[in-house]
Amino acid sequence: AFMPTMRVHSESNATPRWPWNFGEDRASAMRSALELRYRLAPYHYSLAHAMYTDRKLWMRPLVMEFPEDRVASVLTTQWMDGSIMVAP
C-alpha cells in the first residue's frame, strides 16, 4: 500500500499468485491493502508533485526525520511516507 510501485514476479509456468487462491483470509488482507493503496493515491500524487517541484523526498528513512535518535539510524523496516510513519 505504501510503495510507489506494485507488481508480482513469477515464472510463466508457476501457479498464479491471485489472492483468492490462498483462502479468504489472505484475499481479505490483500483487498484491505489495495483499498488503502487507492485511498492514499491522491496523497501520493501530491507527494510526487512536491518531490518534483521542491526536491522533497517522498519516502525517507527514519534517520532523516529523527537524526538524533540512534535507533532510527539502524531501522530498515520502517520509513516515512510523506508525514506517515510506515511500520509494517
Side-chain angles (χ1 to χ4, degrees):
F2 294 99
M3 301 301 285
T5 58
M6 186 178 80
R7 55 187 169 216
V8 176
H9 297 273
S10 64
E11 299 175 6
S12 60
N13 60 351
T15 301
R17 295 183 179 164
W18 297 314
W20 51 88
N21 282 350
F22 300 97
E24 179 53 36
D25 57 331
R26 290 184 178 96
S28 179
M30 178 59 86
R31 186 177 305 108
S32 294
L34 288 171
E35 288 171 352
L36 174 58
R37 178 180 180 79
Y38 291 114
R39 281 197 312 271
L40 289 171
Y43 173 69
H44 286 152
Y45 278 115
S46 297
L47 292 173
H49 180 72
M51 187 170 66
Y52 174 76
T53 58
D54 304 330
R55 305 272 192 223
K56 291 176 62 177
L57 289 177
W58 164 358
M59 298 173 68
R60 304 177 308 284
L62 290 182
V63 71
M64 288 183 71
E65 195 75 14
F66 307 103
E68 303 301 320
D69 187 336
R70 298 178 90 198
V71 175
S73 68
V74 297
L75 288 174
T76 59
T77 58
Q78 298 175 343
W79 64 93
M80 297 302 294
D81 178 22
S83 61
I84 299 171
M85 182 185 293
V86 180

